[in-house]
Amino acid sequence: MFYLLSECADPMALREQLFDFWTRKELEPLRAVAFKGFSDFQTPLEDLLCVLEGCPGRQKGKATTMGHSILMEFERWRRTHPKVTLQAVPEVSKLGLQRRALSLLTDAQPSFMDPLIDIYQLGNLDRSILRLHIIKLQAVNCYREAALLSMKLELQNEVDMEEMCVPLILQDKLPMAESFVRGHPRLEERMVTLLDSWCHPDFSIAQLRRQFPRLSLSKHQTDQIQPKMLSKQVFRLMEKFNIDPGLCPNSVYKRKSDSMRFLMYKRFVEKGMSEENWRDHVQSTVADDPELQIQLVELMVKYGGMVNAAQWSLHYGLPKDRLPFGVWDTQESLPASLREVSKGCNAESWDPSQAHRDRFYQLPITRDHVHFLETLEGLQCCRDTVLQPGCIVGVDMEWRAGFGAVSPQQRVALIQLAVPGQVFLLDLCAHGFSQHNITVTFIRSLFSATTVLKLGYGMAGDLKCLLATWAQFSEEPLKMEGVLDLLNVHQQMQRSTSSRGSGGPRGVLVGEGPAEKGLSLLVQQVLGKPLDKMEQLSNWERRPLRTSQLRYAAVDAYCLLDVYSALSRDPASFGLPQDLCSISSLQTEKSKEEKKRKEEKKKQARRRGAHQVSDPAPTPTLGPEKSPQLGEDSQSPLPPRMAPQQLRVVCDNMLQGLGRYLRCLGVDVVLLENTDDHRVAAQLAQEDGRVILTCGQPYQTLKSQVGEGRCIALDCSEKARDQAVRVLKHFNVQPTQSDIFSRCQVCNSDQYLKMPRENMTRLLKERGFLQQQQQAPVPPEGETWDDPPSPAPFLAPGAPRYSPHCRWAPLSDLDSSTLTFPRGAVLQLHTVPPGLLPRIPFFFICTGCGKIFWEGSHFSRVLSQFQEVLCITEDTEDTLSFSTQQDRPLTSDC
């Protein structure tokens, strides 16, 4: 093949020829012509800029730009022409070339940065010139490009950190802001303290809007700037950058305040914490902070009653003017015997009550067979027992719950080792004992012993705390041999139960409190009674430990032996293989295969340049610690087909994107706000008969509060569109074309007011939103409009009418004087661009929120996205040939 090369010495001619090859995706000719053209350049570095300055920027549907391809070819050509460098350019021209190269670093050409910095040595430019260009990028809202350039040229300490990082954070680019300050302690500290200042109760995002008026923020972005979300990031960055917690008082206070409310809930609502445990944690959380002390009294009025509130106010000596109404009078009337906070019962019996025995699993050994070890002599006796070949050891660990703790690092306070007939409790709070080489060597020998079977439940958390306790295990990793995590066994049981239907063991609700979960559920399923978890959240660092704590610690380890023994006697009845130890290895192999399969699918999607919907993976692990994912059981029969309007769900605040997609298809969806507690979902589900859609850790808590099958977990790693498809398939919901946009995506209302163009024009004029000269001309016959917001073209002659499944409000429902609907929603006239009026015959107004919609291209996109679940008949197939229909609320100003 021959190419025209004679004109390629001219940069403009070369660019035109390369553009022709690039648009036709003829890469080989492009490379050949580029190589020849570069060789013909008289001044390669100057001529390259002439070529790049006329290249188009980013284009939709293309992974790279033409300019990037040309730069890559120039880099390849330059390897064969090493003398083409900036040093070879005369000094009088060098600065001009560098300035021109710098001007190309914009958001339209994001891939230019690295090659141009290298070719034109932009790092050697005067720092004031570089700073000025960064300021220009910020002025046109190219904050990402400004940050990247600052990092590549190491300008972080020479630009304003707030001017750089605040817009990035507001635009959901916190990782970019982290990268910007990383390695610069002063900047790290300033960014973390800045985020902490946003957690102050008096902070308002309006302050940031005034500081950065050019920024346009979505509702999702503004929702992220609230204390609940920000404080989590502050604590994460405090640990990452090793920042003094004293510099972040607002976040520390927020965490302690949240911990106080949680402790109140655990003690007085869930009744899942003993009074002694609760008091220990409350006093540790409140400490000497007067604001937290006052909050404690306020919460006690609500949860514990006026007498308890008065006792705590006396305990801390709080002033009268800061106390809630009635507390001062109550404490004045208290007799001397009630003026102190209850200290609880000091004398505890090792043997629990008969009621406790009837309800919970009991330790089958006596007190004298539970050994509390804090000396090396006692450890030697334990070592001789548990390291015997063929020994089976139940292993558990306890650490102090981190209520209000600044550092998430939790050190093990107690290790429990159970063998048949006795339990050893290793006290790791005895520093000389826990850090002694003999103790560390024993732990390493125990976990690496292949002849000793170690039983645990959810051992990943235990091992993480072990690493925090002994730094030696990070330097020389702990070998794990002969370990069986009964969590994997439990998950296999749950899968077998699900596949068998109603037979087999199931989770059973106890008479009071929440449903059993985790190890307690396994013990209940296998041995008939759950564990008493009242001491689970104890202060395990207090010494001496209470009798109830010692008993709880021994039970938690010993029950593993009894569970393993029962499962080993008859594994088939629990849906388990004969060799229980094989389950762990099977899980590992499945996990590796699944990870490999996902990576391969990602590579295939990248090669195609488009997202590919993943097929449901083979059943992954599920159980008390990991929720079953929607769509895993492909063998389950489909439920009866239902219309979208029949499915009523509440979406957790982690699944707002899913909720909007479901609303788009006509499903009745309530979306939790970011500030809502997960328990709100359970309350709505119980009151309105809704199904909860959630993901992650809240699943276990939520499913225990609603009926069977009323809480569904989804994979957070999936895109919202794929999650929506899974939900629709799971409930056998088959939307029709008429269901699309039958609900408002903003407020979930299913009632619209259909307003003709004439009425909308009159309202816009009356309210001053439309002047005569603003009205856009009607497009010529046969043409459509392309400029934003891309409304639909005119209806094709004879196009079928579209009638969505929604309720229609009469025009009389709109109050003409106040422009409000009966439920109080105000008509959002300001969102209608005047240029739409000549093209849109009807507008659709949500009576629930006042949002205005009109015909647009969104409808066809939704049809394309969800064609695999839409129920399309022959009649409706004919309608899909038309790009628009008449009565559909499809597009808004969003």
PDB file of all heavy atoms in Angstrom, residues 768-783:
ATOM      1  N   GLY A 768     -42.194  36.020  34.939  1.00  0.00           N
ATOM      2  CA  GLY A 768     -40.959  36.710  34.562  1.00  0.00           C
ATOM      3  C   GLY A 768     -39.830  35.818  34.108  1.00  0.00           C
ATOM      4  O   GLY A 768     -38.691  36.279  33.997  1.00  0.00           O
ATOM      5  N   PHE A 769     -40.107  34.533  33.848  1.00  0.00           N
ATOM      6  CA  PHE A 769     -39.057  33.624  33.382  1.00  0.00           C
ATOM      7  C   PHE A 769     -38.902  33.640  31.863  1.00  0.00           C
ATOM      8  O   PHE A 769     -37.996  33.023  31.332  1.00  0.00           O
ATOM      9  CB  PHE A 769     -39.357  32.187  33.820  1.00  0.00           C
ATOM     10  CG  PHE A 769     -39.258  31.979  35.301  1.00  0.00           C
ATOM     11  CD1 PHE A 769     -40.398  31.772  36.071  1.00  0.00           C
ATOM     12  CD2 PHE A 769     -38.028  32.006  35.943  1.00  0.00           C
ATOM     13  CE1 PHE A 769     -40.321  31.590  37.429  1.00  0.00           C
ATOM     14  CE2 PHE A 769     -37.938  31.819  37.310  1.00  0.00           C
ATOM     15  CZ  PHE A 769     -39.081  31.617  38.058  1.00  0.00           C
ATOM     16  N   LEU A 770     -39.785  34.355  31.154  1.00  0.00           N
ATOM     17  CA  LEU A 770     -39.754  34.317  29.698  1.00  0.00           C
ATOM     18  C   LEU A 770     -40.051  35.705  29.158  1.00  0.00           C
ATOM     19  O   LEU A 770     -41.102  36.276  29.422  1.00  0.00           O
ATOM     20  CB  LEU A 770     -40.791  33.311  29.172  1.00  0.00           C
ATOM     21  CG  LEU A 770     -40.879  33.157  27.666  1.00  0.00           C
ATOM     22  CD1 LEU A 770     -39.600  32.538  27.126  1.00  0.00           C
ATOM     23  CD2 LEU A 770     -42.079  32.297  27.282  1.00  0.00           C
ATOM     24  N   GLN A 771     -39.104  36.256  28.422  1.00  0.00           N
ATOM     25  CA  GLN A 771     -39.301  37.507  27.715  1.00  0.00           C
ATOM     26  C   GLN A 771     -39.531  37.206  26.241  1.00  0.00           C
ATOM     27  O   GLN A 771     -39.110  36.173  25.734  1.00  0.00           O
ATOM     28  CB  GLN A 771     -38.060  38.409  27.869  1.00  0.00           C
ATOM     29  CG  GLN A 771     -37.695  38.697  29.321  1.00  0.00           C
ATOM     30  CD  GLN A 771     -38.790  39.420  30.068  1.00  0.00           C
ATOM     31  OE1 GLN A 771     -39.514  40.220  29.480  1.00  0.00           O
ATOM     32  NE2 GLN A 771     -38.917  39.140  31.368  1.00  0.00           N
ATOM     33  N   GLN A 772     -40.156  38.102  25.530  1.00  0.00           N
ATOM     34  CA  GLN A 772     -40.515  37.841  24.149  1.00  0.00           C
ATOM     35  C   GLN A 772     -39.295  37.509  23.298  1.00  0.00           C
ATOM     36  O   GLN A 772     -39.297  36.602  22.475  1.00  0.00           O
ATOM     37  CB  GLN A 772     -41.253  39.063  23.564  1.00  0.00           C
ATOM     38  CG  GLN A 772     -41.823  38.842  22.174  1.00  0.00           C
ATOM     39  CD  GLN A 772     -42.924  37.791  22.173  1.00  0.00           C
ATOM     40  OE1 GLN A 772     -43.660  37.668  23.138  1.00  0.00           O
ATOM     41  NE2 GLN A 772     -43.023  37.019  21.104  1.00  0.00           N
ATOM     42  N   GLN A 773     -38.183  38.251  23.541  1.00  0.00           N
ATOM     43  CA  GLN A 773     -36.997  38.028  22.719  1.00  0.00           C
ATOM     44  C   GLN A 773     -36.286  36.733  23.047  1.00  0.00           C
ATOM     45  O   GLN A 773     -35.405  36.290  22.318  1.00  0.00           O
ATOM     46  CB  GLN A 773     -36.017  39.202  22.859  1.00  0.00           C
ATOM     47  CG  GLN A 773     -35.499  39.410  24.286  1.00  0.00           C
ATOM     48  CD  GLN A 773     -36.390  40.356  25.061  1.00  0.00           C
ATOM     49  OE1 GLN A 773     -37.572  40.492  24.742  1.00  0.00           O
ATOM     50  NE2 GLN A 773     -35.830  41.043  26.068  1.00  0.00           N
ATOM     51  N   GLN A 774     -36.647  36.099  24.177  1.00  0.00           N
ATOM     52  CA  GLN A 774     -35.973  34.871  24.554  1.00  0.00           C
ATOM     53  C   GLN A 774     -36.521  33.653  23.836  1.00  0.00           C
ATOM     54  O   GLN A 774     -35.911  32.605  23.851  1.00  0.00           O
ATOM     55  CB  GLN A 774     -36.121  34.638  26.068  1.00  0.00           C
ATOM     56  CG  GLN A 774     -35.261  35.557  26.912  1.00  0.00           C
ATOM     57  CD  GLN A 774     -35.442  35.247  28.365  1.00  0.00           C
ATOM     58  OE1 GLN A 774     -36.552  35.317  28.904  1.00  0.00           O
ATOM     59  NE2 GLN A 774     -34.359  34.894  29.035  1.00  0.00           N
ATOM     60  N   GLN A 775     -37.720  33.766  23.247  1.00  0.00           N
ATOM     61  CA  GLN A 775     -38.325  32.595  22.645  1.00  0.00           C
ATOM     62  C   GLN A 775     -37.493  32.129  21.465  1.00  0.00           C
ATOM     63  O   GLN A 775     -37.167  32.897  20.569  1.00  0.00           O
ATOM     64  CB  GLN A 775     -39.761  32.912  22.201  1.00  0.00           C
ATOM     65  CG  GLN A 775     -40.670  33.244  23.391  1.00  0.00           C
ATOM     66  CD  GLN A 775     -42.114  33.332  22.976  1.00  0.00           C
ATOM     67  OE1 GLN A 775     -42.540  32.582  22.109  1.00  0.00           O
ATOM     68  NE2 GLN A 775     -42.853  34.249  23.582  1.00  0.00           N
ATOM     69  N   ALA A 776     -37.172  30.856  21.473  1.00  0.00           N
ATOM     70  CA  ALA A 776     -36.329  30.287  20.424  1.00  0.00           C
ATOM     71  C   ALA A 776     -37.140  30.057  19.162  1.00  0.00           C
ATOM     72  O   ALA A 776     -38.322  29.736  19.217  1.00  0.00           O
ATOM     73  CB  ALA A 776     -35.728  28.964  20.894  1.00  0.00           C
ATOM     74  N   PRO A 777     -36.551  30.240  17.975  1.00  0.00           N
ATOM     75  CA  PRO A 777     -37.251  29.989  16.721  1.00  0.00           C
ATOM     76  C   PRO A 777     -37.522  28.512  16.543  1.00  0.00           C
ATOM     77  O   PRO A 777     -36.803  27.670  17.059  1.00  0.00           O
ATOM     78  CB  PRO A 777     -36.279  30.496  15.661  1.00  0.00           C
ATOM     79  CG  PRO A 777     -34.936  30.385  16.306  1.00  0.00           C
ATOM     80  CD  PRO A 777     -35.161  30.668  17.757  1.00  0.00           C
ATOM     81  N   VAL A 778     -38.582  28.219  15.801  1.00  0.00           N
ATOM     82  CA  VAL A 778     -38.915  26.846  15.487  1.00  0.00           C
ATOM     83  C   VAL A 778     -37.934  26.338  14.442  1.00  0.00           C
ATOM     84  O   VAL A 778     -37.618  27.048  13.488  1.00  0.00           O
ATOM     85  CB  VAL A 778     -40.360  26.740  14.954  1.00  0.00           C
ATOM     86  CG1 VAL A 778     -40.689  25.317  14.557  1.00  0.00           C
ATOM     87  CG2 VAL A 778     -41.345  27.259  15.985  1.00  0.00           C
ATOM     88  N   PRO A 779     -37.395  25.117  14.578  1.00  0.00           N
ATOM     89  CA  PRO A 779     -36.436  24.608  13.607  1.00  0.00           C
ATOM     90  C   PRO A 779     -37.092  24.386  12.255  1.00  0.00           C
ATOM     91  O   PRO A 779     -38.301  24.182  12.158  1.00  0.00           O
ATOM     92  CB  PRO A 779     -35.992  23.276  14.223  1.00  0.00           C
ATOM     93  CG  PRO A 779     -37.096  22.898  15.136  1.00  0.00           C
ATOM     94  CD  PRO A 779     -37.682  24.155  15.642  1.00  0.00           C
ATOM     95  N   PRO A 780     -36.304  24.431  11.184  1.00  0.00           N
ATOM     96  CA  PRO A 780     -36.856  24.211   9.848  1.00  0.00           C
ATOM     97  C   PRO A 780     -37.490  22.842   9.749  1.00  0.00           C
ATOM     98  O   PRO A 780     -37.166  21.927  10.491  1.00  0.00           O
ATOM     99  CB  PRO A 780     -35.624  24.315   8.941  1.00  0.00           C
ATOM    100  CG  PRO A 780     -34.621  25.062   9.737  1.00  0.00           C
ATOM    101  CD  PRO A 780     -34.891  24.721  11.166  1.00  0.00           C
ATOM    102  N   GLU A 781     -38.407  22.720   8.796  1.00  0.00           N
ATOM    103  CA  GLU A 781     -39.124  21.450   8.582  1.00  0.00           C
ATOM    104  C   GLU A 781     -38.135  20.329   8.360  1.00  0.00           C
ATOM    105  O   GLU A 781     -37.201  20.438   7.581  1.00  0.00           O
ATOM    106  CB  GLU A 781     -40.022  21.577   7.350  1.00  0.00           C
ATOM    107  CG  GLU A 781     -40.760  20.305   7.046  1.00  0.00           C
ATOM    108  CD  GLU A 781     -42.206  20.365   7.444  1.00  0.00           C
ATOM    109  OE1 GLU A 781     -42.751  21.464   7.580  1.00  0.00           O
ATOM    110  OE2 GLU A 781     -42.782  19.300   7.618  1.00  0.00           O
ATOM    111  N   GLY A 782     -38.338  19.215   9.088  1.00  0.00           N
ATOM    112  CA  GLY A 782     -37.501  18.032   8.894  1.00  0.00           C
ATOM    113  C   GLY A 782     -36.228  18.042   9.688  1.00  0.00           C
ATOM    114  O   GLY A 782     -35.453  17.100   9.626  1.00  0.00           O
ATOM    115  N   GLU A 783     -35.934  19.125  10.441  1.00  0.00           N
ATOM    116  CA  GLU A 783     -34.709  19.192  11.228  1.00  0.00           C
ATOM    117  C   GLU A 783     -35.057  19.098  12.713  1.00  0.00           C
ATOM    118  O   GLU A 783     -36.175  19.373  13.124  1.00  0.00           O
ATOM    119  CB  GLU A 783     -33.951  20.494  10.954  1.00  0.00           C
ATOM    120  CG  GLU A 783     -33.431  20.591   9.525  1.00  0.00           C
ATOM    121  CD  GLU A 783     -32.568  21.825   9.340  1.00  0.00           C
ATOM    122  OE1 GLU A 783     -32.125  22.395  10.346  1.00  0.00           O
ATOM    123  OE2 GLU A 783     -32.341  22.199   8.179  1.00  0.00           O
TER     124      GLU A 783
END
